[in-house]
Amino acid sequence: MGRYIVWYTLQLKAWVQRKTSWMQVLGMVLAALLVSQIHLPDAENTRIGICASPQESAQKILECLKAKESIFEFQEYTSEEDMRQDIVSGVIECGFVFSGDDIQKGAVTYICTPFSAKGLVAQETFYAAFFEGYSDKILMDSEAEVYGKSDEEITRELLAKKQDYLQKNEMFQMDIIETEQKPEEEVYHTGDISGKILPMRGMAGLFIFLILWMAQARKFEDHGNGAAAAMERKQRWKFEYLGCLAEATSPALLGIVLILFAPGNRGVVIETGHVLLLVFVSSFWVLVVGKLFQNSTTFAAWTLTIILAQLVVCPVFFDLAAVVPALQAVRWVFPLGWLG
């Protein structure tokens, strides 16, 4: 055991003395700062922004939206720029802006990002209230044309009839059919793409793997195998594995700190355990897979493919297994799949 501790300590000291090692750590920190600014769309986000003008018609529509029973939560904004910023940052799902004119064609602008998943439903909800208010204007504008004159009594009667139709089901009738549904505990859950994936965890794990993977490229340099070349095969494997653990020590510690500072972490014990599992699995994985490449050209050519495969299969920024359940089994082939 003492010999293995010496091997690990010597290779850790060698890692500390290399300038490139600290450049990798710096790159990890910069990537973490970048990832911390990324806001993924949340499937549970039902907040909708409304930037209403001071016009009476716009205020009526806003009051109607807030009063009606809906899955959406309508949030009023006084500044269009503030609302746009909240849409981009994921605070609200989408937004509607009144132009400031009275109700007319083109008076409302719909704003969303390409990631909006509930925008169409939000539009239906908004425009249902919009046209309910717009119908008052249509009735009053067409009153003189239909009845030959504009009269306050006729206007009052038309608006009363409209409200009567809205409250009854004479024109529209909905049949509700209830179907059986499996209990929630029996439903097969495969993950989610709702933003619950912690990007900081995935990015830290990816960096740890990359540092270990690129360390394997040194074997193609002159005297790249170093002391391991003079060892027996069994001892060489142990020496190289301890070398991988030494390479990953500092990045793993930094990764744990970054993950714990990120919102949504699972606690120090769970996160530390998963990172250590990633280090042990990745160290073995890079040694085995790295042996398959006999020259630096082939090694470099496959590097990007391996990275992209893990980004797609493993839950780094999103969990594709929520759409393709079979990927849950495939991800165990890659080290990042063990990060959880």
Side-chain angles (χ1 to χ4, degrees):
M1 179 60 69
R3 176 173 53 181
Y4 299 146
I5 295 176
V6 171
W7 286 354
Y8 170 81
T9 304
L10 290 175
Q11 293 184 87
L12 181 60
K13 289 181 179 179
W15 182 91
V16 172
Q17 293 174 357
R18 286 194 296 269
K19 294 181 180 179
T20 55
S21 301
W22 297 108
M23 292 178 63
Q24 291 172 345
V25 171
L26 178 61
M28 192 172 177
V29 174
L30 294 177
L33 293 175
L34 178 63
V35 170
S36 65
Q37 302 303 314
I38 297 176
H39 297 274
L40 296 178
D42 186 356
E44 298 180 1
N45 185 9
T46 57
R47 292 187 295 272
I48 307 297
I50 304 290
C51 188
S53 65
Q55 295 291 335
E56 182 182 355
S57 56
Q59 292 299 322
K60 283 184 177 180
I61 293 172
L62 181 58
E63 291 174 6
C64 179
L65 287 169
K66 290 183 176 181
K68 284 189 173 182
E69 184 178 351
S70 172
I71 63 169
F72 295 109
E73 176 187 346
F74 293 94
Q75 183 173 333
E76 186 176 3
Y77 287 84
T78 56
S79 169
E80 179 181 345
E81 186 60 33
D82 291 341
M83 190 181 76
R84 287 180 178 271
Q85 184 62 38
D86 283 353
I87 292 174
V88 172
S89 60
V91 176
I92 58 177
E93 178 75 8
C94 57
F96 298 87
V97 181
F98 286 87
S99 65
D101 300 324
D102 203 355
I103 293 181
Q104 61 178 346
K105 185 178 180 180
V108 178
T109 302
Y110 169 66
I111 305 173
C112 69
T113 67
F115 303 103
S116 178
K118 296 176 287 294
L120 292 177
V121 181
Q123 288 183 62
E124 290 183 7
T125 304
F126 175 84
Y127 288 118
F130 177 86
F131 287 115
E132 183 178 332
Y134 191 38
S135 61
D136 291 348
K137 181 175 176 60
I138 294 176
L139 289 173
M140 288 184 288
D141 288 347
S142 60
E143 182 180 320
E145 181 182 345
V146 175
Y147 296 98
K149 63 176 182 178
S150 294
D151 184 84
E152 193 171 314
E153 183 65 27
I154 296 176
T155 302
R156 189 162 49 247
E157 184 67 23
L158 287 173
L159 295 179
K161 281 291 184 182
K162 189 204 81 167
Q163 290 298 327
D164 189 49
Y165 280 127
L166 287 175
Q167 294 172 6
K168 295 182 179 180
N169 59 359
E170 293 179 4
M171 295 185 64
F172 302 100
Q173 182 175 352
M174 181 182 297
D175 293 329
I176 301 176
I177 301 175
E178 295 185 1
T179 58
E180 294 184 2
Q181 185 176 358
K182 292 182 178 180
E184 185 177 354
E185 60 270 13
E186 295 182 12
V187 178
Y188 181 65
H189 295 283
T190 60
D192 62 73
I193 49 175
S194 63
K196 292 181 180 179
I197 298 298
L198 185 62
M200 188 66 72
R201 184 188 303 128
M203 181 57 69
L206 185 62
F207 252 89
I208 293 171
F209 169 78
L210 276 176
I211 290 172
L212 289 172
W213 178 254
M214 297 311 297
Q216 299 304 304
R218 287 200 295 269
K219 69 180 183 180
F220 300 113
E221 301 174 359
D222 294 336
H223 308 293
N225 290 324
M231 297 181 179
E232 297 179 356
R233 184 175 181 179
K234 185 177 180 180
Q235 296 298 324
R236 183 165 64 247
W237 270 92
K238 293 178 180 179
F239 181 84
E240 291 176 345
Y241 185 77
L242 289 171
C244 289
L245 296 181
E247 292 275 351
T249 298
S250 295
L253 292 175
L254 177 60
I256 293 172
V257 172
L258 294 175
I259 293 172
L260 292 178
F261 272 99
N265 68 79
R266 298 168 294 187
V268 60
V269 176
I270 295 178
E271 296 295 357
T272 301
H274 279 274
V275 171
L276 291 178
L277 180 62
L278 171 69
V279 170
F280 294 140
V281 173
S282 295
S283 298
F284 179 77
W285 197 91
V286 297
L287 285 177
V288 174
V289 178
K291 298 293 183 182
L292 302 177
F293 304 106
Q294 302 302 319
N295 57 75
S296 58
T297 303
T298 307
F299 184 90
W302 274 92
T303 297
L304 182 59
T305 303
I306 292 173
I307 294 172
L308 291 178
Q310 294 191 89
L311 285 174
V312 173
V313 175
C314 304
V316 180
F317 296 109
F318 54 87
D319 191 357
L320 196 59
V323 182
V324 186
L327 291 181
Q328 279 198 318
V330 177
R331 70 174 52 160
W332 295 109
V333 177
F334 298 97
L336 273 183
W338 295 80
L339 185 58

